[in-house]
Every structure is written in C-alpha cells, then in structure tokens.
Amino acid sequence: MNNSMTMNGGHSPGEVHSVRGYIFVFIALLAGTILTVWASFIQFGSREINIAVALVIASVKAFLVVAYFMHLISERKMIYLVLGFTAIFFAGLMGLTIWSLSPNSLIHIQNVP
Amino acid sequence: MDFPYIVEPRRDTGLYNAKLGIWLFLASEVMLFGALFSAYVLLRVGADPGMWPHGWLNVYIGTANTIVLITSSITTVMAWVSCKQRQFGRFKFFHALTILLAMTFVCIKSYEYHDKFTHYEITLASGKFADGHLVEKSKDFDLAKKTGRVTIHGYEVEHEVELMDMQRPEARNIHREEITIPATDIKKMERYGPWHHTYLAIYFTLTGLHAFHVICGALVIGFLWGPGSRMWKTDPERFTNRIEVSGLFWHFVDLVWIFLFPVLYLL
C-alpha cells in the first residue's frame, strides 16, 4: 500500500499526508482514552485536580482530531478566520458562565434588607 | 445553470463551496454544544453539597463506546484517503466499517438508556431509600391504590445522599440483592429518567443530541456509501469532496464525545 498521498482540491498542491501518521494519531487517541480512565481512578488530592487532568487529556485528544483528522493544521486562512470568531464567542460564553458563578456577579439576586 | 466552485476551489479563499459551508456549520455546532456545556457547569456548581452524582454511569461501557467512535474516525479518514488514491473498493470497505461502528455506538447508547429507564429510586414510608433495577412488578401493582408489590435488584440506604457518590470505596462494596417491596411501604418511586435529577437531565440532553448527530452522520455516510456513490463514475473529484465534508462532520461528532465522556462518566 502506498503510505503517502498527494492532496489536491481544497488543499495545497504537493501537500502530503501520511497514512502512517493517521494510524499514529489513532493509537495516540486510544492511549489517551485509556489514560483518561486510569487517571480518573487516581485521587490527586482534590476533585478539581482530577477535573483539570481529565480536561487536559481531552484537549490533547481534541487537538489531534482537529489538527490531523480534520486537517486543520494545513487549512486555508478563511477557515482559520471562521474558527477564530468561533473561539472568541465560545470563550465569551464560557467566560460569562464562570463570571456568573461569582457571588458578586450582577445576575445573582441580591437579598433585600 | 452551473454553480461555480463546486469542485474547484475559489482562487481567493482556496476553498470549494461545501468546505466553507461545513466549517461554518461546525462553528454553529460548537456554540450549540458550548451552550449545553455551559448549562452543565451551572447545574453542577449550583447543586447542593454532596448532591451531584458520581459513578452513576458504567465507565467500561463508556470507554468501549469511546473506542468505537475513535475507530470510526480512522475508518472515515481511510475512506477519504482511498478516494484520493482512486481506490473505490477500499473506500467502500472503510465506509462500511464506519457505518457498522456508528450502529454499534447507537446500540451501546440504547443499552445504557434502557439501563437508566429500568433503574428506580424508591422512597420508602420508613424514610429509607431503596435503589436498584426493576426485576418485576406484580400484576396488581398500583402505587396510587397501594396494591401489589415490586421487586428490584439493589440495596437500601438510610439517606438519599448515600446514593449520590457511587465512586466512594464503600459504595463499590455494596451488596446487591433482590428486594421485594409492597406498594403500601412505598412513598415515591421514580425511574432514573431526565426528570429524576438535573445530572440526568443534562446527561440525556447532551448524549441525546450527540446520538442524534451520530444517527444523522451515519445516514449521510450511508447515502454516500450506497446510492450516492454513483457519482464516483461521473465526477470522482466532486464525490471525494463530499466524502471529505461528511468526514469533517463525523470527526466533529467524535470531538464532542471526547469531552462528553470524561465530563459525564468520570468526573
């Protein structure tokens, strides 16, 4: 089997993606899944640390999928622009969520004396 | 009328129409799931101390489903690679695997849903709580009329809070047995449906929406594998673009699950 292929169409001419590379990413994703489960059974001292560890592993797995399976690592500027706006709005959404958890945030109902 | 840039990329953006379209769609999907993740955070942080469940889902089944979905991602990539290499037979093989894996995922998810809908929390008249899976209800069982009895495979606890953290060491050693409870001893009986707890509400919402995406993606891939593959003979480049676009959607579905699995099953 040919282990490399030349892309055309929506990708740069001459750009090469390796089938071996996809298989490596697949194995890394499987390993990441097992690592996530294993880490969840370890008590790191607080549940917050466990949550952080799980989310870091999930983020690495997500990066592998987006960068290599979805070819974002070699994508066009227009796609980066679309995703840049998405990232800003997503960060805003999560920022508002975290801000709303603060007892001093304006959305909390204040006790009337 | 011929539409431009269906196959060849636009010179300024370097993209064909469907490619830009799917990324715009995926951007909207990020915000859709982002809103639900935000709801999850608010529900979790807003829960009373000790009343957010842990270990209510089977980690091994969730892990198996994660592996199924990751495997379907590589078969999707390989199907696209096969098209690029002009190997139609290999494309058919890999996408048949993708469809089978998608069906496996949905079957496992259905089993998990069934498990939840046959799981009951029973508030007893004594103030204790019984929890377990339904074994049988007597024919005359009627909670309103207080007739008959119900049998579950589970255990009893003194306080409801003891049902929340099933990851704690004592919970793992709980002895489960068949318990028969007369309707007269039951104050309240509730399945582990979305109405039972805010955790289950967000669990069913998130996984239900995700499963809907899996089913829709599988239908599109199934169409491209079956009747839609006729385009290969007339316009292989355009067909390959379709495989790429459907693949991008499928990888997004995988991406969402990568976050759903730890958030709902492990944390």
Side-chain angles (χ1 to χ4, degrees), chain A residues 3-98:
Chain A
N3 265 343
S4 66
M5 48 168 298
T6 305
M7 312 271 296
N8 49 29
H11 290 267
S12 311
E15 183 185 331
V16 173
H17 284 274
S18 161
V19 170
R20 203 173 289 164
Y22 292 133
I23 292 169
F24 177 76
V25 170
F26 170 61
I27 292 167
L29 290 171
L30 290 181
T33 302
I34 293 162
L35 186 66
T36 309
V37 175
W38 176 73
S40 75
F41 288 114
I42 294 173
Q43 302 300 323
F44 289 105
S46 75
R47 201 174 280 280
E48 284 72 22
I49 298 174
N50 276 72
I51 290 171
V53 169
L55 290 182
V56 165
I57 298 170
S59 299
V60 172
K61 288 170 68 184
F63 169 79
L64 289 173
V65 170
V66 171
Y68 297 101
F69 284 175
M70 298 172 87
H71 306 124
L72 201 64
I73 208 157
S74 56
E75 205 37 275
R76 300 286 178 173
K77 276 184 187 169
M78 176 66 95
I79 302 297
Y80 292 143
L81 189 69
V82 169
L83 293 181
F85 276 108
T86 309
I88 290 167
F89 282 110
F90 185 80
L93 174 66
M94 288 301 159
L96 282 172
T97 304
I98 292 165

Side-chain angles (χ1 to χ4, degrees), chain B residues 57-125:
Chain B
L57 301 173
N58 188 316
V59 171
Y60 300 107
I61 292 177
T63 307
N65 239 359
T66 306
I67 291 169
V68 165
L69 216 49
I70 288 171
T71 310
S72 75
S73 260
I74 184 83
T75 57
T76 304
V77 169
M78 293 308 294
W80 172 74
V81 167
S82 303
C83 285
K84 283 285 185 187
Q85 293 175 335
R86 298 291 184 262
Q87 292 180 312
F88 188 66
R90 280 172 59 84
F91 154 76
K92 286 285 240 183
F93 170 73
F94 281 118
H95 250 358
L97 282 181
T98 306
I99 295 161
L100 279 175
L101 289 163
M103 288 164 68
T104 306
F105 181 90
V106 173
C107 286
I108 293 174
K109 200 76 230 153
S110 304
Y111 170 79
E112 284 188 290
Y113 278 12
H114 177 261
D115 182 73
K116 283 283 154 277
F117 280 100
T118 54
H119 191 172
Y120 284 84
E121 180 188 314
I122 302 172
T123 310
L124 301 173

